[in-house]
RNA sequence: GGCAACGUGGCCGAGCGGCUAGGCGAGGGACUGCAAAUCCCUUUUACGGCGGUUCGAAUCCGCCCGUUGCCUCCA
């Protein structure tokens, strides 16, 4: 099956052809570690996590690199505020990042390089650019000369003249052209600094990614990704440096995810309208965040709200209950039926269409629509089985096949349902943390359900309802089904 | 101001020349001791406005209106 991807560089959907199949190289710009990650970062991380899983699922051997920017102005400022070393700040937020990633189920990249561990490589890139005449040293700084690279602006569809007119870039006597950007910044007093041919200083922002790509993936990579807000200037400046140096296209496909907004406005630190990932995954199961992200196409804006989290939670629970139903259906009396069940055909269609949607520029919302169509089919099966009080062997087998197919694909590609086990309820992170002390509670709930069932058999509904209401007060909901009473926390 | 997107039914959100997206909500029904959950049915001028191309446009083209992003650190 061929995969089509939207390439920011061409502005078109293109068929995905890796340089050296089945090998695929992907680089995405990671976070600057000066604070906790928010939902905007989370979206980007989840989106590329799913791309990577999907490519792996298609049989590609993916090598995935995602960096940490662990030295920059914001980290330095933060360190100054706290009278701490900048590395302490960086290390703290890298640790925090890993906790977030574990909780939102984003797989680690194959290499997760840090800028401070690649200073030498960065210096080599800068040195090469100076040698080839694309960069110049000026008062201890080194700048890339935008005029020297005629294709500058090709990614973000701008031209140098327009940029100069609208330039709000702070003027600097050291720059020849206001659009020139710093590859190396000379150290000011009290700032972290490394030795270089141009004196002590630190790397500018844009060179790090180029140096790390060269080192860990090579001169030309298949996919370079990041948030839409990185297109200009960051990725434009990466292209300028890398291509000036090698004369080859830096990345074959430039892929950018849409931004997360709040009330229509971009979620950002500076606006203060952000919600941290930690806040989300302590309130909701991480699958719900992933589902929220995947319900919108990756290139569209995604407006975050807690109401939407609630909506997504309901959609998630409907999916879960369809899966859990299998164990209850197994308890019904069975009978033999002639022929194969039509549900088997639907499962086959589902799998085909699910991957077809994903192959069309990672259309996850459409893929989810296929998921929910199958879920509806399962609901119909369940309903009929319960109204007849029995289920055919073939139908039960089809239901089980469907559940396994959903589980396999939602786990493998979407990273959902990783902790799902039919006999256990799915818990939020907080619930998991509390789980150790819960065994006793569960026994008590089961005992109460047993007592309630006895009461119901005696038609002592007042007693039965008292138990149900009482459990509701402590956050446990009961559902009576022909196959027995289910309970869950809410 | 420049550049780039986007405007779909109560809300969210796919589709991008002809064929039911899907989710959430709301109303009705089935089921239930009553619920809950689930399923079924309904929510049928849905495609910002005005022109144009076409046998046929939400889907292509033009203009207008509106929203957003980038142009400064940013996933």
């Amino acid at each position: 099956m061929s995969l089509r991807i939207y390439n920011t560089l061409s502005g078109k959907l293109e068929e995905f052809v890796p340089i050296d199949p089945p090998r695929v190289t992907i680089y995405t710009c990671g976070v600057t570690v000066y604070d906790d990650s928010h939902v905007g970062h989370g979206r980007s991380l989840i989106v590329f996590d799913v791309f990577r899983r999907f490519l792996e699922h298609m049989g590609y051997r993916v090598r995935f690199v995602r960096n940490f920017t662990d030295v920059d102005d914001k980290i330095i400022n933060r360190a100054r505020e706290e009278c701490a070393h900048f590395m302490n700040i960086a290390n703290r937020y890298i640790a925090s990042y890993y906790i977030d990633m574990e909780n939102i189920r984003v797989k680690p990249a194959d290499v997760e390089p840090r800028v401070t561990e690649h200073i030498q490589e960065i210096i080599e890139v800068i040195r090469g650019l100076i040698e080839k005449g694309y960069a110049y040293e000026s008062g201890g700084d080194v700048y890339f000369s935008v005029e020297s690279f005629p294709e500058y602006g090709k990614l973000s569809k701008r031209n140098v003249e327009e940029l100069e007119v609208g330039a709000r870039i702070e003027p600097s006597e050291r720059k020849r052209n206001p659009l020139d950007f710093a590859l190396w910044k000379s150290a000011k007093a009290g700032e972290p600094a490394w030795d270089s041919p141009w004196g002590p200083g630190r790397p500018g922002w844009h060179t790090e990614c180029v140096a790390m790509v060269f080192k860990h993936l090579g001169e030309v990579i298949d996919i370079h990704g990041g948030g839409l807000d990185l297109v200009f200037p960051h990725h434009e400046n990466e292209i300028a440096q890398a291509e000036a140096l090698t004369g080859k296209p830096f990345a074959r496909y430039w892929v950018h995810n849409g931004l997360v907004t709040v009330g229509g406005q971009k979620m950002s630190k500076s606006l203060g309208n952000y919600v941290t990932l930690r806040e989300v995954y302590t309130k909701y199961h991480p699958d719900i965040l992933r589902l929220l992200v995947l319900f919108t196409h990756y290139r569209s804006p995604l407006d975050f709200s807690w109401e939407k989290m609630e909506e997504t939670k309901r959609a998630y629970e409907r999916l879960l209950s369809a899966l859990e139903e299998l164990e209850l259906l197994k308890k019904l009396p069975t009978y033999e039926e002639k022929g194969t069940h039509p549900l088997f055909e639907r499962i086959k269609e589902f799998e085909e269409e699910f991957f077809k949607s994903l192959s069309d520029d990672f259309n996850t919302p459409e893929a989810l629509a296929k998921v929910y169509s199958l879920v509806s089919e399962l609901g119909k099966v369940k309903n009929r089985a319960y109204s007849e009080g029995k289920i055919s062997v073939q139908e039960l087998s089809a239901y089980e096949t469907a559940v396994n197919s959903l589980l396999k694909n939602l786990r493998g590609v979407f990273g959902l349902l990783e902790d799902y086990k039919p006999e256990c309820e799915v818990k939020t992170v907080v619930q998991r943390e509390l789980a150790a002390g819960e065994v006793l509670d569960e026994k008590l709930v089961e005992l109460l359900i047993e007592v309630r069932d006895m009461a119901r058999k005696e038609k002592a509904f007042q007693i039965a309802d008292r138990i149900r209401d009482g459990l509701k007060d402590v956050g446990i909901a009961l559902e009576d089904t022909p196959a027995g009473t289910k309970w869950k926390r809410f």
Side-chain angles (χ1 to χ4, degrees):
Chain A
M1 195 188 311
S2 72
L3 167 65
R4 292 197 309 159
I5 306 183
Y6 181 85
N7 189 346
T8 307
L9 188 59
S10 66
K12 283 188 268 200
L13 285 171
E14 295 177 12
E15 190 174 335
F16 179 64
V17 184
I19 308 160
D20 181 24
R23 201 167 160 259
V24 171
T25 47
I26 309 178
Y27 181 92
T28 65
C29 295
V31 291
T32 301
V33 281
Y34 73 103
D35 208 342
D36 287 323
S37 301
H38 59 63
V39 176
H41 303 114
R43 181 186 193 189
S44 190
L45 292 159
I46 289 169
V47 161
F48 287 104
D49 184 55
V50 171
F51 283 12
R52 180 243 197 121
R53 289 168 188 260
F54 179 55
L55 289 169
E56 285 171 348
H57 183 95
M58 288 180 86
Y60 289 113
R61 280 192 12 249
V62 177
R63 184 164 166 84
F64 185 50
V65 178
R66 183 172 48 213
N67 76 305
F68 288 113
T69 299
D70 63 350
V71 56
D72 95 319
D73 290 347
K74 282 187 248 186
I75 298 171
I76 294 167
N77 288 339
R78 183 97 194 213
R80 198 168 284 147
E81 283 165 23
E82 295 190 19
C83 292
H85 189 86
F86 82 96
M87 284 293 256
N88 293 135
I89 304 294
N91 287 338
R92 181 203 303 165
Y93 289 107
I94 285 176
S96 161
Y97 167 90
Y98 277 119
I99 292 170
D100 288 344
M101 291 312 102
E102 195 183 326
N103 278 309
I104 66 170
R105 313 283 162 76
V106 168
K107 292 206 292 185
D110 298 304
V111 187
E112 304 190 324
R114 298 172 60 153
V115 174
T116 52
E117 290 167 358
H118 293 75
I119 301 293
Q120 210 46 52
E121 287 85 349
I122 291 169
I123 288 172
E124 287 311 313
V125 169
I126 298 171
R127 202 208 303 264
L129 286 168
I130 293 175
E131 276 169 18
K132 292 202 168 187
Y134 290 104
Y136 56 93
E137 190 267 335
S138 173
D141 293 344
V142 179
Y143 295 98
F144 185 92
S145 170
V146 166
E147 285 165 348
S148 72
F149 186 72
E151 291 185 297
Y152 191 79
K154 68 177 178 179
L155 180 70
S156 54
K157 319 274 187 276
R158 288 154 215 253
N159 61 60
V160 173
E161 295 80 59
E162 279 164 2
L163 283 166
E164 280 171 352
V165 170
R168 283 195 269 152
I169 298 158
E170 60 184 277
S172 162
E173 305 90 60
R174 292 178 181 176
K175 289 185 190 177
R176 291 180 192 163
N177 181 311
L179 297 179
D180 291 351
F181 56 91
L183 303 175
W184 187 261
K185 297 177 174 179
S186 61
K188 299 188 194 105
E191 282 184 357
W194 288 262
D195 286 332
S196 79
W198 320 285
R202 61 189 165 92
W205 180 32
H206 313 297
T207 313
E208 56 182 71
C209 294
V210 174
M212 293 183 200
V213 166
F214 284 176
K215 176 166 184 189
H216 299 289
L217 295 172
E219 292 185 341
V220 181
I221 59 171
D222 290 308
I223 298 174
H224 192 127
L228 201 58
D229 52 354
L230 295 183
V231 174
F232 190 91
H234 185 50
H235 289 163
E236 193 72 58
N237 291 354
E238 283 186 42
I239 289 180
Q241 294 174 76
E243 299 190 1
L245 207 53
T246 68
K248 299 176 198 163
F250 186 38
R252 313 243 299 175
Y253 303 89
W254 285 87
V255 179
H256 293 96
N257 63 277
L259 303 179
V260 174
T261 57
V262 177
Q265 278 208 311
K266 178 180 172 181
M267 179 181 284
S268 74
K269 278 270 148 61
S270 46
L271 285 168
N273 60 350
Y274 62 94
V275 176
T276 62
L277 289 173
R278 178 160 183 84
E279 195 176 347
V280 174
Y281 66 69
T282 48
K283 286 182 181 156
Y284 291 88
H285 189 280
D287 281 357
I288 295 167
L289 177 64
R290 287 187 86 96
L291 205 51
L292 176 77
V293 168
L294 298 174
F295 259 129
T296 301
H297 186 89
Y298 77 93
R299 286 194 279 119
S300 303
L302 166 56
D303 202 58
F304 178 87
S305 70
W306 293 107
E307 291 72 35
K308 216 177 252 179
M309 284 297 291
E310 275 299 315
E311 278 181 19
T312 309
K313 184 184 173 189
R314 277 175 229 127
Y316 179 64
E317 283 172 349
R318 208 180 122 211
L319 171 66
L320 271 187
S321 74
L323 301 176
E324 287 169 347
E325 208 58 49
L326 175 63
E327 295 307 307
L328 297 173
L329 288 171
K330 280 179 179 169
K331 294 179 183 167
L332 288 176
T334 56
Y335 63 97
E336 285 291 336
E337 197 179 33
K338 286 256 168 8
T340 52
H341 193 89
L343 187 54
F344 280 111
E345 188 53 36
R346 292 288 299 108
I347 296 165
K348 218 179 114 206
E349 283 168 22
F350 157 70
E351 294 197 339
E352 282 165 12
E353 291 180 359
F354 182 79
F355 287 106
K356 202 173 139 207
S357 297
L358 291 177
S359 301
D360 184 16
D361 197 26
F362 302 107
N363 195 333
T364 57
E366 196 173 88
L368 278 173
K370 310 301 181 199
V371 168
Y372 275 90
S373 295
L374 185 59
V375 166
S376 287
E377 295 291 327
L378 295 182
K380 285 176 201 170
V381 168
K382 170 202 159 183
N383 233 34
R384 226 203 38 243
Y386 281 165
S387 66
E388 289 172 7
K390 60 182 181 178
I391 185 164
S392 79
V393 177
Q394 291 79 1
E395 196 159 42
L396 186 59
S397 160
Y399 199 105
E400 183 155 24
T401 305
V403 167
N404 287 336
S405 171
L406 286 169
L407 273 176
K408 187 183 79 194
N409 293 308
L410 292 176
R411 274 182 179 151
V413 182
F414 284 177
L416 295 167
L417 300 163
E418 278 183 6
D419 54 3
Y420 174 81
K421 290 195 203 78
E423 67 278 13
C424 305
E425 64 170 324
V426 171
K427 299 184 178 77
T428 66
V429 172
V430 172
Q431 284 171 340
R432 280 204 305 277
E433 284 168 2
L434 293 173
E438 268 179 2
V439 181
L440 180 63
D441 293 353
E442 290 181 10
K443 293 271 184 232
L444 283 173
V445 171
E446 277 153 24
L447 178 65
L448 281 167
I449 288 172
E450 205 181 311
V451 172
R452 176 167 168 274
D453 281 342
M454 290 164 70
R456 288 171 69 215
K457 285 207 180 82
E458 303 292 323
K459 302 216 185 294
F461 296 120
Q462 257 190 318
I463 295 172
D465 289 351
R466 179 69 195 90
I467 291 172
R468 186 171 61 195
D469 293 344
L471 284 172
K472 197 175 166 191
D473 288 342
V474 297
I476 288 167
L478 298 189
E479 286 171 30
D480 297 325
T481 75
T485 301
K486 280 166 58 169
W487 67 278
K488 64 172 183 182
R489 293 181 180 80
F490 61 89

